[in-house]
Amino acid sequence: MKQTLVAAFIAANNDLITVDALAEELWGTTPPLKMENALQAQISRIRRVLTAMEPDRREPRLVTSVSGYRFSVAWTEVDAMSFLHTVDVIRSRPRVDPYRDIADLRSALSLWRGPVFGGLTGGPLCRTTVARYDEARTTAHELLFDLELRVGNHARIVPELTELFAQNPMREQLCSLLMVALYRSGRQIEALEVYRELRKRIAEELGIEPSPILRRFEKAILDHDPLLLYEDLADTADEQRYAS
């Protein structure tokens, strides 16, 4: 119960959480008869733990209001928040030093030591936050691998890309990155096989074809298009509608 409550407070990102929302996180659609008393008991236990951990803290982290509770936490105190902050900074700054961006992205991604909230299920708020963080992690990997391709590290990232794509087998962006990394590593047949396996999965599960952009990647590989060897695939996309 305490773990779920703390996870919900962190997921709220300093916003107020209503009593009803917290009850749903803890008990779903079947709260106990004296739900508010049970919730207050859990809140009291958390407050005692926080007081013991931070005896010199002037302002309490957990504050009660008329409509709910607010938990104060700085982004520097939570790995997940630090991760998002770092990725936002990298995305917003000019692409003048890809090696610095790569190092910072790898440092941010190293904060991940397992599933969000340690695999705790929680309720709607926690589940939504887990999905958001997982998506942010995947997009950060995509940005990282795009930068690695720009600096010529295609062979280095093939194992990482292969593993991540296996975990996200319907992700076209990962597919295109892996195709390019394999092609640049002299593995044209494997690059085409990656595409064809994705095409088969999409057809069987969704009944559609891959996106036009991904199909252009297949054609470029078949044609040995020199544009695939450009370091900056993003610039190539602007001119030839390829995507990295």
Side-chain angles (χ1 to χ4, degrees):
M1 287 288 185
K2 291 193 293 291
Q3 289 177 335
T4 301
L5 273 176
V6 172
F9 285 133
I10 292 175
N13 195 23
N14 295 300
D15 290 336
L16 182 98
I17 312 181
T18 66
V19 170
D20 289 340
L22 285 174
E24 189 172 5
E25 292 294 309
L26 290 175
W27 298 292
T29 57
T30 56
L33 292 177
K34 297 182 179 180
M35 179 270 291
E36 291 191 1
N37 290 340
L39 178 59
Q40 288 172 5
Q42 296 296 334
I43 294 290
S44 295
R45 294 187 181 103
I46 291 175
R47 283 200 171 107
R48 287 197 293 271
V49 172
L50 290 171
T51 299
M53 291 175 61
E54 303 175 304
D56 298 327
R57 186 179 176 86
R58 294 183 179 181
E59 298 294 331
R61 284 194 185 274
L62 187 52
V63 178
T64 306
S65 72
V66 175
S67 54
Y69 299 89
R70 190 187 306 274
F71 189 84
S72 299
V73 62
W75 67 266
T76 53
E77 296 177 300
V78 180
D79 283 349
M81 293 181 182
S82 297
F83 165 77
L84 289 183
H85 175 79
T86 301
V87 174
D88 286 343
V89 168
I90 294 169
R91 286 186 178 279
S92 63
R93 67 193 183 199
R95 291 283 180 269
V96 295
D97 188 352
Y99 292 99
R100 175 192 176 193
D101 291 341
I102 288 170
D104 289 349
L105 273 170
R106 288 196 174 275
S107 177
L109 285 163
S110 72
L111 294 173
W112 287 76
R113 296 186 294 273
V116 183
F117 300 138
L120 191 72
T121 303
L125 178 59
C126 286
R127 291 195 295 270
T128 300
T129 301
V130 166
R132 180 165 61 89
Y133 278 121
D134 283 340
E135 173 64 18
R137 183 186 191 185
T138 302
T139 56
H141 270 115
E142 290 170 344
L143 175 58
L144 169 66
F145 296 138
D146 178 73
L147 291 167
E148 294 277 21
L149 286 174
R150 294 185 189 200
V151 300
N153 288 339
H154 39 269
R156 172 189 177 182
I157 64 174
V158 165
E160 295 174 278
L161 259 172
T162 301
E163 180 179 359
L164 189 61
F165 184 50
Q167 297 168 2
N168 302 270
M170 303 288 279
R171 191 96 175 185
E172 290 197 356
Q173 177 77 348
L174 289 174
C175 182
S176 65
L177 290 165
L178 180 55
M179 289 168 68
V180 173
L182 287 167
Y183 179 79
R184 290 183 180 179
S185 301
R187 300 160 67 176
Q188 178 189 12
I189 294 175
E190 292 174 66
L192 292 170
E193 185 62 28
V194 165
Y195 169 80
R196 287 162 187 168
E197 288 178 0
L198 174 64
R199 181 182 181 184
K200 180 180 178 182
R201 280 194 298 271
I202 291 178
E204 290 177 349
E205 297 186 26
L206 302 177
I208 60 175
E209 286 289 313
S211 68
I213 289 175
L214 200 57
R215 295 201 298 272
R216 291 189 185 100
F217 268 107
E218 182 203 26
K219 185 177 186 304
I221 291 173
L222 289 169
D223 295 342
H224 294 280
D225 194 323
L227 289 174
L228 286 172
L229 301 177
Y230 278 27
E231 288 186 354
D232 194 339
L233 290 175
D235 288 347
T236 304
D238 292 338
E239 299 176 7
Q240 298 293 331
R241 295 186 59 80
Y242 292 130
S244 59

